[in-house]
Amino acid sequence: MTQIDRIDLEQLTTKYLTKFQRHLLENQLEVETIPEYRQRIEIMLLADEGKTQTQICRQLNCSPLTARHWMFVAKSGQAHTWQTQPIGRPKTVTSDYLKRLKELVQSGVNRPMIESSSSK
């Protein structure tokens, strides 16, 4: 069972989402299994119901930064992009990654470089 109860769309006054967007998110919430994706959807649905950032953080046990970000996504009409952003922070740079990066840079030495306007 989700932490978000399905709400009668006819009686709900939404703040940010269209009824269509809300319906799509609620349907996706029923089938989504990745916890981070579920949290994104829940944050946007709760924000749409008028919950504050603090209320959302308490209910979902999420960070204020996460809540603020996904509340902004809902407010800006971009709720449909919830799957397009990678989960979590960017990967850390390892020694293997640096080694591979050096190989790639060295193999492209003969390629012309674009001059920046500040070096002219």
Side-chain angles (χ1 to χ4, degrees):
M1 188 67 184
T2 69
Q3 294 184 19
I4 307 290
D5 294 323
R6 188 174 278 273
I7 295 175
D8 181 10
L9 292 177
E10 298 304 318
Q11 297 177 353
L12 177 68
T13 303
T14 62
K15 288 189 72 162
Y16 310 117
L17 306 174
T18 65
K19 290 181 181 183
F20 180 74
Q21 287 174 318
R22 183 168 186 86
H23 179 70
L24 287 176
L25 289 176
E26 286 176 339
N27 285 342
Q28 190 61 42
L29 190 60
E30 292 176 4
V31 296
E32 186 56 58
T33 58
I34 299 172
E36 293 86 353
Y37 283 159
R38 290 184 59 78
Q39 185 180 66
R40 293 175 180 188
I41 296 168
E42 290 173 333
I43 290 169
M44 289 188 285
L45 291 172
L46 288 170
D48 190 49
E49 293 172 17
K51 302 281 188 204
T52 66
Q53 178 180 318
T54 302
Q55 291 170 324
I56 292 171
C57 290
R58 284 186 186 138
Q59 184 170 342
L60 301 179
N61 194 28
C62 66
S63 74
L65 181 62
T66 299
R68 184 171 52 250
H69 175 77
W70 291 104
M71 289 173 76
F72 174 77
V73 170
K75 289 177 187 178
S76 62
Q78 298 297 311
H80 60 282
T81 66
W82 65 271
Q83 281 182 308
T84 61
Q85 297 183 21
I87 295 172
R89 298 214 174 264
K91 304 291 182 230
T92 57
V93 176
T94 63
S95 59
D96 290 336
Y97 177 82
L98 284 175
K99 180 180 174 184
R100 178 68 179 136
L101 186 58
K102 286 177 185 177
E103 290 171 1
L104 292 172
V105 169
Q106 289 171 351
S107 69
V109 170
N110 293 330
R111 292 185 182 171
M113 294 186 64
I114 300 173
E115 290 186 42
S116 67
S117 59
S118 62
S119 65
K120 291 183 178 181

